[in-house]
Amino acid sequence: MDLAEAMRTQRAIRRLKPDPVDDEVLLRCLELATRAPSGGNRQPAEFLLVRDRRSKAALGRLYRQSWSVYGGLGKLLYGSHERTRKIIEAVDWQVDHWEDVPVVVVACLRGVALPVPGIARSSRYGSIYPAIQNFLLAARAEGLGASLTTLPLWSQWAARRALGIPWNVEPVAAIPVGWPRGRYGPTTRRPVERSVHVDRYGNRPFLRGDG
C-alpha cells in the first residue's frame, strides 16, 4: 500500500471480528515497528502478544474500571455531540467484546520511569510511540483493524501482575488487533493551515492566505 494512502486512511478500528490473526502477519507488522527511531538507538521497545483469554480478561477488568469513569464523564459532557457519541459507542463495543479480540499487543519500554521533569519524560516515551505508529500503519497496510488505548494499563502494577511483566519493564499502551468488521476510509482532520505556526506561536500566515 502507498504510504500516503495508509496515513490518510489509518484510523482507530475498534469493532473487530474474533477470527484469528496469524503470527506471520503480526511479525511482519512488528518488524516494521522495530524500524522506528529511538533515543540513542537503544531500541528499548518490546511487544507482548496477549492471546490467552484469562489474560485478556484481566486487562478487560482494568479497562472497564477506567472506562466507567472516563467514558461516563465523556457521555455526561459530550454525549450530545454526534461525532464524539460515535466514538464513545465504538469504545463501549470494544469494552464489551474485549475478551473476543484475537490478540492484544501490549507495547512496553525497558527501564524504569523516574519522577523527572516533563521534557525528560517526553524523551523517554519518544522511544516507543514512533514504533507504535509504525505498527499501526503496518496493520493498516495488512488490512488489519487496530486502535491505541492506555486505559487498560491505568494500574501498571495490576497490568504487570496480570501479564508477568517485570518491574523494570513499563507497559505503555495496549493495541487490540483483528480483522475489522467495518471498513477503512479517509480520516477527517482540520485543515493543516490551522495547525502550522511560523517563527512565533500564533503567527499562522498560511491560514490568512498571505504566506
Side-chain angles (χ1 to χ4, degrees), residues 122-142:
S122 176
S123 176
R124 171 172 169 77
Y125 296 112
S127 290
I128 185 68
Y129 277 106
I132 291 172
Q133 178 63 1
N134 270 18
F135 177 82
L136 292 172
L137 287 171
R140 170 66 190 100
E142 294 281 356

Side-chain angles (χ1 to χ4, degrees), residues 9-97:
T9 59
Q10 183 265 312
R11 64 198 317 166
I13 302 293
R14 297 183 176 91
R15 294 182 174 91
L16 303 173
K17 298 177 182 178
D19 304 10
V21 179
D22 291 343
D23 287 340
E24 181 181 354
V25 178
L26 286 171
L27 288 175
R28 282 202 299 267
C29 296
L30 290 168
E31 195 277 331
L32 291 173
T34 64
R35 298 287 177 171
S38 61
N41 196 30
R42 294 189 305 274
Q43 304 177 50
E46 295 190 346
F47 301 91
L48 176 59
L49 305 184
V50 183
R51 297 187 188 274
D52 177 70
R53 192 173 183 86
R54 287 179 299 179
S55 297
K56 286 187 291 185
L59 285 180
R61 284 191 292 273
L62 294 171
Y63 196 176
R64 292 178 182 104
Q65 290 168 2
S66 55
W67 180 242
S68 67
V69 177
Y70 187 69
L73 287 174
K75 293 171 186 177
L76 180 65
L77 297 175
Y78 305 107
S80 60
H81 186 270
E82 183 179 0
R83 185 178 300 174
T84 304
R85 179 176 53 79
K86 289 181 178 179
I87 295 173
I88 291 173
E89 289 174 353
V91 178
D92 277 339
W93 193 97
Q94 184 181 72
V95 168
D96 291 341
H97 296 82

